[in-house]
Amino acid sequence: MKKIISGIQPSGILHIGNYFGAIQQFIKFQEENDCLFFVANYHALTSSTDADALRKNTRDVVLDYLALGVDPKKANIFIQSHVPEHTELMWVLSNLTPMSLLERGHSFKDKTAKGISSNTGLFTYPVLMAADILMYDVDMVPVGKDQKQHLEMTRDIATKFNEKYSEIFKLPEPMIVESTAVVPGVDGAKMSKSYGNTIDMFASKKILKKQVMSIVTDSTPLEDPKDPDNNVTTLYKLFATPEKLEEMKEKFRAGNYGYGHAKKELLEAILEYFADARAKREELVANPEYIDKILAEGAHKARTIAKAKMVEVKKAVGLT
């Protein structure tokens, strides 16, 4: 059994890229592993200044996870800010982290290169991520390719601490699921809220239809054959059987089959695929006490581990 941790920022409605790129794997991982899944609301402060939106988005992530099949009886679900030891450990690790290491961070470099104003939180983001991970002695961390560098930083920070003081932190390994690591958005680029190209599984049917119909396609006339490998089929294959996918591709090759027809089939496939999850989410929204109970239990379990780890850390560095 492996110990696995993953955090997600509550930056808005989750989309199918989140599901196929991560959550679907989490549901499988929880069956045979010791999993911790948390909502990284401290991290969200690097870009969020709307307190009400942050509270709502944090709650929504929990609802989405539970609706999709993350099981609190099999995995520990908690909110990052409910475990203040995360930021306590971050401060200790910050004093061992070279500025030069953080200056190489993708998020910080990308923003400064574009002339976008950044803040100290964004600059030190990798240190908090390191604290999130190292606190729990995990074996594996599921990450996207864009987060792999931050995990390498986590290992560098842990190594520096272990060499300076004592072997307290386990070095985690990255887990990247190549087949679904990147889900394309409606424009063909990586699906991301920051790109505004998402398809949101829990959006209303009206909004979901609008998103699906906005998928970028070419201007080939209806009656003409079309390239069967296009933005619509790339997304359709996530929901359809190989046989259904081939049927759609054959229609494109034959002609007299428009992108609008394919998008309607995709919409139906999405609604059918997430029908149970959408219904379950409505039930969860109507039962806030149940959500509170899960989060309280999750925080208690996480803090029990975190407090014990901080006792070791404080003793090692001379704080006790």
Side-chain angles (χ1 to χ4, degrees), residues 12-179:
I13 297 173
L14 296 187
H15 50 75
I16 64 172
N18 297 129
Y19 176 73
F20 287 105
I23 302 171
Q24 186 181 55
Q25 281 68 251
F26 297 168
I27 296 167
K28 295 177 182 177
F29 295 158
Q30 69 184 0
E31 297 300 326
E32 297 180 356
N33 299 281
D34 180 8
C35 295
L36 300 95
F37 302 127
F38 69 94
V39 185
N41 56 342
Y42 276 137
H43 285 292
L45 291 174
T46 62
S47 58
S48 173
T49 55
D50 186 330
D52 290 337
L54 180 57
R55 273 188 287 270
K56 181 182 184 303
N57 290 341
T58 299
R59 188 82 169 188
D60 282 346
V61 169
V62 176
L63 289 168
D64 291 353
Y65 269 33
L66 294 173
L68 290 165
V70 176
D71 188 344
K73 294 179 181 178
K74 299 176 180 178
N76 191 22
I77 305 169
F78 64 97
I79 293 173
Q80 186 184 32
S81 62
H82 292 179
V83 186
E85 287 78 11
H86 283 235
T87 51
E88 186 178 12
L89 178 56
M90 177 196 177
W91 177 250
V92 174
L93 298 179
S94 293
N95 292 282
L96 288 172
T97 305
M99 291 275 287
S100 59
L101 180 67
L102 299 181
E103 287 169 349
R104 295 197 297 271
H106 290 319
S107 298
F108 180 74
K109 282 175 64 178
D110 289 347
K111 279 203 170 185
T112 53
K114 294 174 183 175
I116 300 172
S117 176
S118 61
N119 53 45
T120 305
L122 183 69
F123 183 68
T124 57
Y125 176 105
V127 188
L128 180 54
M129 181 175 171
D132 297 334
I133 296 166
L134 298 176
M135 185 74 79
Y136 300 100
D137 290 330
V138 300
D139 300 295
M140 309 290 293
V141 183
V143 291
K145 291 180 179 179
D146 56 342
Q147 285 288 311
K148 188 177 179 182
Q149 183 203 41
H150 284 165
L151 185 58
E152 291 168 352
M153 289 182 174
T154 294
R155 290 172 58 89
D156 290 342
I157 293 169
T159 298
K160 185 176 269 297
F161 184 99
N162 289 345
E163 291 175 348
K164 181 71 175 178
Y165 296 107
S166 60
E167 293 285 333
I168 286 179
F169 296 121
K170 179 180 287 189
L171 301 187
E173 296 290 339
M175 177 187 292
I176 298 176
V177 182
E178 296 290 348
S179 61

Side-chain angles (χ1 to χ4, degrees), residues 88-312:
E88 186 178 12
L89 178 56
M90 177 196 177
W91 177 250
V92 174
L93 298 179
S94 293
N95 292 282
L96 288 172
T97 305
M99 291 275 287
S100 59
L101 180 67
L102 299 181
E103 287 169 349
R104 295 197 297 271
H106 290 319
S107 298
F108 180 74
K109 282 175 64 178
D110 289 347
K111 279 203 170 185
T112 53
K114 294 174 183 175
I116 300 172
S117 176
S118 61
N119 53 45
T120 305
L122 183 69
F123 183 68
T124 57
Y125 176 105
V127 188
L128 180 54
M129 181 175 171
D132 297 334
I133 296 166
L134 298 176
M135 185 74 79
Y136 300 100
D137 290 330
V138 300
D139 300 295
M140 309 290 293
V141 183
V143 291
K145 291 180 179 179
D146 56 342
Q147 285 288 311
K148 188 177 179 182
Q149 183 203 41
H150 284 165
L151 185 58
E152 291 168 352
M153 289 182 174
T154 294
R155 290 172 58 89
D156 290 342
I157 293 169
T159 298
K160 185 176 269 297
F161 184 99
N162 289 345
E163 291 175 348
K164 181 71 175 178
Y165 296 107
S166 60
E167 293 285 333
I168 286 179
F169 296 121
K170 179 180 287 189
L171 301 187
E173 296 290 339
M175 177 187 292
I176 298 176
V177 182
E178 296 290 348
S179 61
T180 53
V182 177
V183 174
V186 297
D187 58 356
K190 177 185 176 181
M191 188 173 290
S192 171
K193 287 185 285 287
S194 60
Y195 297 158
N197 65 354
T198 64
I199 295 176
D200 306 328
M201 55 212 154
F202 292 119
S204 67
K205 291 183 180 180
K206 181 178 179 180
I207 292 175
L208 190 56
K209 179 179 180 180
K210 183 177 180 180
Q211 291 174 337
V212 171
M213 297 308 288
S214 71
I215 294 172
V216 175
T217 53
D218 60 39
S219 57
T220 305
L222 171 65
E223 62 274 11
D224 290 355
K226 299 168 185 65
D227 184 350
D229 296 313
N230 54 62
N231 288 340
V232 182
T233 54
T234 298
L235 287 166
Y236 187 64
K237 72 180 179 182
L238 296 171
F239 304 96
T241 62
E243 293 76 19
K244 282 286 187 181
L245 176 61
E246 187 55 35
E247 282 181 24
M248 179 178 282
K249 288 187 174 184
E250 275 301 315
K251 292 176 186 176
F252 275 124
R253 295 187 188 101
N256 287 315
Y257 180 72
Y259 290 113
H261 298 121
K263 290 175 183 180
K264 288 179 181 178
E265 288 191 46
L266 173 60
L267 175 61
E268 291 171 3
I270 293 172
L271 288 170
E272 181 180 355
Y273 190 94
F274 291 112
D276 291 344
R278 287 167 68 91
K280 184 176 180 180
R281 194 182 191 283
E282 291 182 8
E283 294 176 3
L284 292 168
V285 169
N287 192 358
E289 295 81 9
Y290 173 68
I291 306 301
D292 292 339
K293 180 174 180 290
I294 288 172
L295 293 176
E297 291 175 351
H300 176 72
K301 292 176 186 175
R303 286 206 76 184
T304 298
I305 299 170
K307 286 178 179 179
K309 177 58 70 176
M310 286 310 302
V311 168
E312 291 184 71

